[in-house]
Every structure is written in C-alpha cells, then in structure tokens.
Amino acid sequence: MVRKYKRKSTQHSWSEEGMKNAISDCKAGNLSVAMAAKTYDVPLTTLYRKMKLNSSAEEASQKKLGRYRPTFTKEQEQQLRDYILLMEKRLFGLSMRDFRSLAYQYAELNRIPHSFCKKTALAGEDWVSNFLKRNPEISLRLPEKTSAARATAFNRPNVANFFALLGELMDKYHFTASQIYNCDETGLSTVPNKPSKILSLKGKKQIGSLSSAERGTLVTAEICVSASGHYIPPLLIFPRVRLNPLFDVGLPPDSVVVCHPSGWMQTDIFVVWFKHFVRYAKPTNTDSVLLIMDGHATHTKNIEMMELAKSTNVHILILPPHTSHRLQPLDVSYMFPLSAFYEQEVRAWQRNHPGKVVTIHNVGALFGKAYQRASTQQNATSGFQNTGIFPYNPHIFPDDLFEPSETTNRELPPTPPAALENLIQEVNNTTPPPAATTSSIPDKPQSKSQKLLAPEEILPIPKADVQLKQRTNRNRGKTMILTSTPNMEEIKEKHSTPKIPTKAVKRKISSSPKINNCPVKRKQENKNTEKKVFVESDLSGSNETISYADSSESPDAENESELSFEEDRPLHYSTVSVADIHPNDYVLIDLQDEAKKTKKRFVAQVMCAKKNRINVKFMREYRQSKNIYVFPAIPDESEVFLNEIIGRLHSYELLRYGKIKFL
C-alpha cells in the first residue's frame, strides 16, 4: 500500500519554502544560482532546472513525483477542509465513507481528472490517508451525542436574553463573588454508568469491570456553590419512605438526608433544601444573594419557595431551557470530576471488599469521599468564569458554538402577494439573464477562469424548512427572574390550587365493572337467587359478605341484575375515620359513575384532609401485575368524600423505581 511506503532515498528532501526563496532571489538578481543553492540548502541542478520553467516561484517550487500529479490543488483541498469543519460545527459531521463519496462526486462533477474507483464511486483510502497528513488539524474522532433540543436552544437570542437579565441584576444589586450561587441536581447510582479506562492485554477482544448489578439504585444529590468557592452542604434524596441511620454515614458535615419513594427531587423537598441554603448563604437586606438554577418544574412551579425567597432577599435567575451544558457553572466544571471521583471510590470499595456489592447504604460514604476531592475552589471559580457569569462577560462564547443552532434558524416566510407583484414588476424591468446551457456539466476539464462546484452544492448543508405558523398553545420555558413580582403573579395564576368543588368529582370509567382496578367474574343467576358481593377482607382475615333477598333489594338493581361480582385479588384494609387519615397514607376508594351506574375501586395516596373532603393522588396498576401500583407520569389529583373511602391500606412493600406492592 502507498500509505505504508517507507522512503529509501534522500530525493526531494529539500523544503518548498527554501526552493521558493532561492528562485525568487535568483530571478531578482540578488544571488547567483550556486550561491542561492548553498544559502537555502537546495540541490544545484534542481534549482537550474526550475529556473528554466516559465512559471512563478510558488508553482515552480512545488514537489512533483515524476508524471504523477495530485488530484486536487491546494485551493480545492482547502474547500474540502473548510466544508468538513463546517459540517462538524453544525453537528452533521462526515464519516469516512461520506467524505470519500464527496471527494469522488467533487472530482466527477467538476471534470477533474482522477484515479478514483468508478465502480464503488468512492475516493481511495490511500488518498484519504494522505489528505489527513496534509491537513493535520483534521482527525477521525468519536462524537458525543448532543440532543436536538440543546443544539437548537443554545442560540444568540437566548444567550443574549440571559445575560441581559444577569446584567440588570448585577447593575442593581452589585453582587460580589460570594453572593452569586448556582445549584443543580445530579444522580448517584450504586452502579456507575461509565467506568474508567484500565490497563489490559493489547488485542484482547473484550475486557470487563466488576459492577454490583446490571442496573443500580439512583440517589439524587443537590449541589450548590458560589463564585468564590463556598460550597453549601449537599442534600441527598434516597429512594425510601423512612430514614435509615446508615444513610448519614460518611457524608460531608451538615449534610441533609431526606427520603422519597422515587428518589427524585420533589417540590416540598426543594423547599427543605432552600431553607437549608438560606441558613448558610445568610442573605440580608443590605447583602442580597443571587441564585442561578435551571427551569425544572420543582423550581419554577414552587410557589412556596418563591415566596420564601422573596422574604429572605434571595434573587433567583432561571437559565434558558436546554442550555445548562454551556451556561450552568456546575455542569461546566464540577459534575464531571464528581462523577469520575465517585466511580473511582466505588471501584476502590469493591477491590477492598471482595465478594460484596455496593448497596444504597454505602452511597453516603462513597459520595462523601468523592465530594471532598471534587469540591475545590478552582473547580468552582472556573465554572463561573467559563460561563461568563462572574466576572460578567456576555461575549465569552465564540461564534462556532452557535453554529449548531443555524440549522433551525429559519428564513423569513414567503413574500406576501402585495409585495410579490412589486418584485415581479422590478424583475420584468431588468435585463433577463443569459440562457442556460443544455448541460450543467462541461464536456472539457474546468479551466482556471471557470467556477467549480463547491462541496456545499454537491452535499448541501442541512437547513430546517420555513415555518409559516408558530404554535402558541404550548407554555414553553424561558429565562427569567423568578422572584420578580410580574413573574410570580403569572406563575401563581397558572399553578394556583383550584377551588373546592361544590359536589363530588365525576370520574369517567369503563362500562365493564371492575373492582380494585381488576376485571371481575360474571356469573348468570336467577333473579330469585341470593347475590353475594365479596367486598374485601380486613386485617383479621374475615370476609365481609353483603346478601340480598332478591335482586330488587340491591342498589342499582336495574343495571346490575343477574350479575355476581367476586374479587380476584383482594387488598387488606381497615376502616378509618377523619381523625385516622393522615397525609401520605394509602387508602382504597370506591367511586361510582352516576351515568353508567357502575363502580370502580382505586388506590390513592392522601395529600391533605379537610373535614369530610380528602385531597388524594390516584395510582395506576403496574402492567397488570398483582397488587403492584405506581404513580402516573402526569399526576392524577382529585378530591373525594369521606364516605367514598373504604379503608386505609396498612401492609405494603416498596419496590424499585417507585413501585409499591400492597399485601
């Protein structure tokens, strides 16, 4: 192969720059040919031969290997190089095969003589290898996945709006480095996602690294740091219902530990963290504090937190959506070292405890060691500096970082009819362009005066279509000062608690009767026979049976005639009163559809109780599993009466990923 050829002679070892200077001095009469060859260390006979050429010094100084000539000139290769870099900036980088196909089409359409394979319509691998040697700034690399939302959202208008609000706050309150904070959540798993590189046998097909399980248990950590390097003690959320003393072992001093079945940040938990933040940031009337955070729902829809921030002199600035990878200091300089150190601590723990696995009880100690290693002043200050937050620098980002958003920067809509007529009239008054030739590809090789087809014309740069009408029915996130009065009033109006209805909420349920969210057995019986309804079994294990002498004495007899309902999977519960119902209790609710005269039972979690009306959050059965329930992605909250609650569920077991199994 040509790319593996090893040079065996010293021919053409002179430099093109030296030959160019020697030819220039000889033609100018500054030096003789012999003196120029000695001065610039070029062969004398080669210099004599190149002096006889009727060409410029730059063209004559180029090296040529006999009759072989390069396929493309330096200007043409420069076009290809610029196109490669532009596509990479737009996040549409070319693979090796794409580039070989582009080079072949570039030579074919421009009638450039080449030796590429016409059967495969690809440029040769040897040519690509030499092209990369001539352009060392280009290399074959593995890209990182970037979501379309991030590529679109990080644009000049969004960044300008953010820095405009930040500059407004800086000019008004004159924040110092110790008064500017940034908070963000990160996930800690018992099985780290990306292991570190290790030393192994070269050429081995596959290497492995020991992990505790296929998928780990997730713990959420809330991190907060100031531009001066002051770290607020973290808050950790464990996926449990009750606290365990082992969760606190090894954590940084004054850390806060809370529990939630999902392990994710919740609105009430963020209020707990915010009070913890105020305790350590210590804002006053004269020295207020700026807190920068992303637009998560637990932040922007948390009315209690906003009112608390307003009363404690904390100003909250929300980042533009999908821009935290560039504008959030913790994402820029802190989260990657923290995850790397945490993975190293997990690997060291497994090495020191052979035969054991990392559980949720070890996360606190492992996180504490990684937190101490990552929480340096340099990591904190560099994050605020690289994002332009402090020192304030709205021009911190170069132009190439905005290139991905150019794909969706749509052009103006088509010209309206009124302006179109004027445009047509102007065109008619101008001289018509010359007629096009029958073939767009010339029959002869392109001369220097003729314009070549650019790579952009062969393989166009992707561009989004013109969007004629914008959707206005969707509430999109935006950068804003969350604690400003207009924004707070708008959020309160949208997300305020609805008023208590005057009567019970009617829920739409299917016409087929179900009990406990499960299908029921139907059995045809005579009207005179006794109908039994097995309601539920209580904690003592006895069954409660309701008997009717005939079908006419049963409620809704007209719609439930000749049917017998028997539960397949009963739940254990106990009857309760208003005094026995507390928040976070799980209850069994019996709702009736007045239109279809059918009943259905639901499992729900109590939110709050007001006399005989209870606010609950309904659950859904998990994939038709036996007595396993989960909360839906969109919360299903409603209000029920006390007489609709059958009883409280006592015995349940917490499973992974927020699933709850009732016994």
Side-chain angles (χ1 to χ4, degrees):
M1 300 296 290
V2 177
R3 61 179 178 274
K4 297 181 180 179
Y5 173 78
K6 294 183 179 179
R7 192 176 183 87
K8 300 178 181 178
S9 66
T10 58
Q11 293 182 357
H12 280 196
S13 59
W14 44 268
S15 64
E16 293 183 356
E17 187 67 23
M19 182 64 72
K20 177 183 177 181
N21 295 333
I23 295 174
S24 299
D25 289 345
C26 291
K27 288 186 176 182
N30 298 332
L31 296 174
S32 63
V33 177
M35 186 61 67
K38 186 176 181 180
T39 302
Y40 294 103
D41 192 20
V42 296
L44 179 61
T45 56
T46 305
L47 181 58
Y48 268 119
R49 176 168 50 84
K50 290 185 176 292
M51 283 289 296
K52 297 178 182 180
L53 299 176
N54 295 327
S55 58
S56 62
E58 184 176 358
E59 293 181 0
S61 62
Q62 294 180 359
K63 296 179 180 180
K64 297 179 181 179
L65 297 175
R67 63 183 179 86
Y68 296 102
R69 298 292 181 267
T71 304
F72 303 115
T73 62
K74 289 186 176 180
E75 292 77 11
Q76 294 168 354
E77 287 198 355
Q78 181 72 16
Q79 278 190 339
L80 293 173
R81 185 188 74 88
D82 294 342
Y83 179 77
I84 291 173
L85 298 180
L86 178 60
M87 290 292 284
E88 184 271 328
K89 291 178 182 178
R90 296 286 183 92
L91 304 182
F92 292 100
L94 302 180
S95 64
M96 189 66 74
R97 186 178 181 85
D98 294 338
F99 178 58
R100 291 171 61 190
S101 176
L102 174 64
Y104 176 83
Q105 296 181 41
Y106 185 73
E108 279 286 319
L109 296 177
N110 290 303
R111 295 297 183 182
I112 299 174
H114 63 85
S115 58
F116 301 149
C117 180
K118 294 186 177 181
K119 183 178 180 180
T120 59
L122 298 173
E125 295 181 0
D126 295 334
W127 178 86
V128 175
S129 177
N130 292 327
F131 175 84
L132 296 178
K133 290 180 181 178
R134 292 189 296 269
N135 300 274
E137 64 274 13
I138 298 178
S139 62
L140 188 65
R141 301 181 60 181
L142 183 65
E144 181 181 354
K145 294 181 180 179
T146 304
S147 64
R150 286 189 170 186
T152 304
F154 189 78
N155 51 48
R156 286 184 176 86
N158 286 345
V159 175
N161 292 338
F162 169 76
F163 278 104
L165 296 177
L166 178 62
E168 179 184 344
L169 292 172
M170 295 286 286
D171 295 339
K172 185 176 181 180
Y173 298 100
H174 305 285
F175 294 113
T176 61
S178 60
Q179 296 173 316
I180 302 177
Y181 287 85
N182 174 231
C183 68
D184 191 24
E185 298 88 7
T186 185
L188 306 170
S189 177
T190 55
V191 180
N193 296 329
K194 187 177 180 181
S196 302
K197 294 182 179 180
I198 61 174
L199 299 174
S200 177
L201 178 64
K202 187 175 182 180
K204 189 176 180 180
K205 293 296 182 182
Q206 185 178 2
I207 58 175
S209 179
L210 184 66
S211 63
S212 299
E214 294 293 335
R215 298 179 62 181
T217 304
L218 184 69
V219 177
T220 302
E222 182 75 23
I223 311 294
C224 185
V225 64
S226 70
S228 62
H230 174 226
Y231 289 85
I232 302 294
L235 176 141
L236 275 75
I237 307 173
F238 286 84
R240 293 292 185 270
V241 175
R242 288 179 292 275
L243 289 174
N244 192 318
L246 295 177
F247 295 160
D248 298 327
V249 177
L251 286 177
D254 297 338
S255 297
V256 180
V257 177
V258 295
C259 292
H260 190 270
S262 66
W264 295 89
M265 177 61 71
Q266 306 295 323
T267 303
D268 53 346
I269 297 179
F270 192 76
V271 174
V272 173
W273 175 86
F274 188 80
K275 295 178 181 178
H276 173 71
F277 164 77
V278 172
R279 190 181 307 117
Y280 284 89
K282 299 179 180 179
T284 60
N285 295 330
T286 57
D287 296 330
S288 56
V289 170
L290 174 62
L291 180 60
I292 301 174
M293 62 177 69
D294 55 33
H296 194 264
T298 57
H299 306 163
T300 57
K301 299 179 182 179
N302 198 333
I303 299 176
E304 182 180 357
M305 185 272 299
M306 289 187 289
E307 293 177 346
L308 185 61
K310 192 80 171 179
S311 61
T312 55
N313 300 298
V314 177
H315 304 277
I316 300 177
L317 179 60
I318 301 299
L319 294 168
H322 308 293
T323 59
S324 59
H325 63 296
R326 301 288 187 192
L327 291 175
Q328 183 144 247
L330 285 173
D331 279 349
V332 171
S333 66
Y334 184 81
M335 292 305 182
F336 182 80
L338 178 65
S339 61
F341 292 145
Y342 178 76
E343 189 276 334
Q344 294 175 9
E345 295 297 335
V346 171
R347 185 154 40 89
W349 188 92
Q350 291 177 333
R351 188 182 298 115
N352 296 329
H353 300 79
K356 297 182 179 180
V357 296
V358 178
T359 63
I360 195 174
H361 304 96
N362 308 119
V363 171
L366 298 175
F367 168 75
K369 296 179 181 179
Y371 182 82
Q372 293 178 359
R373 295 173 60 185
S375 301
T376 62
Q377 188 176 12
Q378 181 180 1
N379 287 343
T381 56
S382 62
F384 286 87
Q385 182 178 359
N386 294 335
T387 54
I389 295 177
F390 191 90
Y392 179 75
N393 184 10
H395 307 290
I396 188 69
F397 300 107
D399 293 338
D400 60 328
L401 293 182
F402 297 104
E403 286 290 341
S405 64
E406 293 296 329
T407 302
T408 54
N409 286 347
R410 297 176 173 87
E411 300 177 356
L412 295 176
T415 311
L420 183 60
E421 295 179 359
N422 298 332
L423 182 61
I424 294 175
Q425 186 176 2
E426 293 179 3
V427 173
N428 293 334
N429 295 333
T430 59
T431 305
T437 58
T438 56
S439 177
S440 60
I441 303 176
D443 296 334
K444 296 181 180 181
Q446 294 277 6
S447 62
K448 295 182 180 179
S449 60
Q450 292 176 320
K451 185 179 179 181
L452 298 176
L453 286 174
E456 294 85 353
E457 299 174 323
I458 300 174
L459 187 61
I461 299 174
K463 188 72 175 178
D465 297 333
V466 178
Q467 191 170 359
L468 301 179
K469 186 177 180 180
Q470 296 285 346
R471 293 186 301 176
T472 58
N473 58 345
R474 181 178 176 183
N475 296 326
R476 297 181 180 272
K478 61 179 180 179
T479 177
M480 60 179 173
I481 302 175
L482 190 63
T483 50
S484 64
T485 303
N487 290 331
M488 288 184 62
E489 295 297 331
E490 181 182 357
I491 294 173
K492 288 180 180 180
E493 183 179 355
K494 289 182 179 179
H495 307 288
S496 59
T497 305
K499 296 181 179 180
I500 300 176
T502 57
K503 57 182 179 179
V505 178
K506 297 181 180 180
R507 300 176 56 86
K508 294 182 179 180
I509 56 179
S510 60
S511 58
S512 58
K514 291 184 180 181
I515 297 180
N516 190 22
N517 203 15
C518 302
V520 299
K521 295 181 179 179
R522 298 191 175 190
K523 184 169 54 177
Q524 291 285 349
E525 294 184 359
N526 296 328
K527 292 185 178 181
N528 297 329
T529 58
E530 182 183 62
K531 185 179 75 171
K532 297 183 179 180
V533 181
F534 297 93
V535 182
E536 289 293 343
S537 59
D538 57 11
L539 294 178
S540 62
S542 60
N543 291 333
E544 178 184 358
T545 305
I546 303 176
S547 302
Y548 302 102
D550 57 354
S551 58
S552 60
E553 297 180 5
S554 63
D556 303 325
E558 296 179 359
N559 296 277
E560 296 182 358
S561 59
E562 304 177 2
L563 294 179
S564 176
F565 305 101
E566 182 180 3
E567 294 186 21
D568 290 339
R569 299 188 287 255
L571 296 177
H572 298 282
Y573 68 93
S574 60
T575 57
V576 294
S577 60
V578 180
D580 298 330
I581 297 179
H582 304 284
N584 298 329
D585 285 347
Y586 296 97
V587 295
L588 191 64
I589 302 174
D590 191 355
L591 297 180
Q592 180 176 353
D593 190 344
E594 297 179 359
K596 299 181 180 180
K597 303 299 181 180
T598 54
K599 293 183 178 181
K600 188 176 181 181
R601 289 188 177 176
F602 298 88
V603 175
Q605 186 182 28
V606 177
M607 300 176 61
C608 61
K610 300 177 182 178
K611 295 182 180 180
N612 64 334
R613 294 178 178 177
I614 316 297
N615 289 332
V616 296
K617 185 188 300 184
F618 288 94
M619 305 182 69
R620 296 291 184 269
E621 193 172 21
Y622 180 74
R623 297 180 182 177
Q624 299 181 355
S625 301
K626 182 177 180 180
N627 294 348
I628 298 179
Y629 291 81
V630 295
F631 289 101
I634 301 177
D636 185 6
E637 300 177 1
S638 182
E639 187 182 63
V640 298
F641 289 100
L642 180 63
N643 56 5
E644 295 176 330
I645 297 180
I646 302 176
R648 184 173 58 182
L649 302 173
H650 293 279
S651 302
Y652 57 87
E653 178 183 356
L654 295 178
L655 305 179
R656 297 170 62 184
Y657 312 116
K659 296 182 291 185
I660 301 178
K661 181 178 181 180
F662 294 96
L663 306 177

